[in-house]
Amino acid sequence: MASTEFCCAVDLGATNVRCAVLGRNGEISGFQRLEVSGIENASCITAKIVDMIESAVEETGVDIGAVGISTAGPVDLAHGSVVNSPNMQAGEIFLRDPIAEAFGVPVCMLTDCKAGAYGEYVFGGHGDASTLVYLTMSTGIGSGVISKGEILQGADGNAGEVGHFVVDTKYNMPCGCGGFGHWEAYASGSGMPRFFAEWLRQQGAEFEKPLLTSGQILFAARQGETLCSKFISEVAEINARGMHSLVCAYNPDCVVLDGPLAREYADLLIGDFGGYLRMPEVCVTELDGNAPLLGAGAYAFSSILEGNCRAL
């Protein structure tokens, strides 16, 4: 009989994949991390995840009852795959069935932002929220929504792709998905440096030092550098448009911010977005970047008990 005390959680992002064995109270052990940015072979990514799960289970010496997968989207839940993610270059990545076949346990998957939302709901102290929105600002931008204790999935499992809200037509920045003016083309870790270059060009300005990352731009703004401060003020206005749309779409009473940019620079990045609806509580995660991993595990435990994920 499969264990109901331990599961394995996987968090596949555009840059790294993380894996760990989780106990029912969110105890993390056997933690594994591997960089996957630049890997273009989908089967190779799946094989590496299988190896990581094996290593985590071997290190902890426990039996797992299920695997929960958090992944960058979009996803195809019917086939258990990631489908042409704009922030990964591997095409369609089949995860659910190969992992179920490798370990003989139920496997469930959901997008990383939904996993993050569920992690915050279960382990982040937000279980009393009627509607919780988890917003991550990382390589991309996305959200997950918990309403009355239920994950908002959408028809294919891709509800909450707020990074593709149109927030600007002035600069009309290209997005990795092929669209223009999308939120993550301006304020994500991957989009902000390109937006900064275009913003400088339209300002007729030059920056004396090459800034390669969003973190460097934000650090310079925090130090009071004039051009970077002015630019980040514009990013904050764009973020305010995205936040306003998010609040109008989901009417949350709580918004939890996560991702490396939000955890470090939320005070610079979020402008005033009040207006049409009641303002929700906005806070930064206290789960130290582990909300998606914890949420994938919590969802796996729920699946063991309720039988709502795919078994062999």
Side-chain angles (χ1 to χ4, degrees), residues 59-78:
E59 180 178 327
T60 57
V62 301
D63 293 326
I64 58 171
V67 175
I69 301 172
S70 156
T71 178
V75 298
D76 179 350
L77 291 184

Side-chain angles (χ1 to χ4, degrees), residues 35-268:
E35 185 173 342
V36 293
S37 60
I39 298 179
E40 297 183 0
N41 185 303
S43 297
C44 180
I45 291 175
T46 303
K48 288 182 181 297
I49 291 173
V50 169
D51 289 343
M52 291 173 73
I53 295 172
E54 288 179 345
S55 296
V57 171
E58 182 178 349
E59 180 178 327
T60 57
V62 301
D63 293 326
I64 58 171
V67 175
I69 301 172
S70 156
T71 178
V75 298
D76 179 350
L77 291 184
H79 295 96
S81 62
V82 183
V83 186
N84 299 319
S85 172
N87 296 315
M88 293 191 281
Q89 307 303 315
E92 187 167 11
I93 307 170
F94 289 93
L95 295 173
R96 185 194 60 202
D97 291 356
I99 292 172
E101 289 163 5
F103 297 98
V105 297
V107 176
C108 54
M109 63 183 290
L110 63 172
T111 61
D112 49 2
C113 292
K114 293 177 187 64
Y118 201 54
E120 291 291 345
Y121 185 76
V122 176
F123 296 114
H126 302 291
D128 59 348
S130 173
T131 300
L132 178 150
V133 172
Y134 170 89
L135 178 70
T136 186
M137 306 181 81
S138 185
T139 304
I141 291 176
S143 76
V145 181
I146 306 290
S147 184
K148 295 180 172 57
E150 298 293 329
I151 300 173
L152 179 62
Q153 291 281 15
D156 301 310
N158 293 306
E161 289 282 348
V162 300
H164 302 281
F165 281 175
V166 175
V167 293
D168 170 73
T169 56
K170 175 182 176 182
Y171 298 98
N172 213 31
M173 293 296 295
C175 181
C177 72
F180 293 87
H182 295 181
W183 192 358
E184 70 177 44
Y186 298 82
S188 68
S190 59
M192 194 184 297
R194 291 191 289 269
F195 178 36
F196 185 51
E198 176 61 19
W199 181 85
L200 287 172
R201 188 188 70 80
Q202 293 202 24
Q203 295 286 318
E206 293 184 0
F207 195 76
E208 67 275 13
K209 297 179 182 179
L211 293 179
L212 302 179
T213 69
S214 299
Q216 289 171 319
I217 297 169
L218 284 157
F219 180 79
R222 175 153 285 166
Q223 299 305 307
E225 198 286 323
T226 303
L227 278 174
C228 289
S229 296
K230 186 177 179 182
F231 168 71
I232 291 301
S233 293
E234 183 135 9
V235 172
E237 289 183 16
I238 287 171
N239 284 338
R241 294 174 204 157
M243 290 288 285
H244 180 79
S245 297
L246 182 150
V247 169
C248 288
Y250 300 123
N251 188 206
D253 46 358
C254 178
V255 177
V256 182
L257 305 176
D258 201 357
L261 301 182
R263 291 197 299 271
E264 185 71 21
Y265 297 105
D267 58 316
L268 298 181

Side-chain angles (χ1 to χ4, degrees), residues 14 29 33 119 176 190 312:
S29 58
R33 182 196 297 269
S190 59
L312 284 177

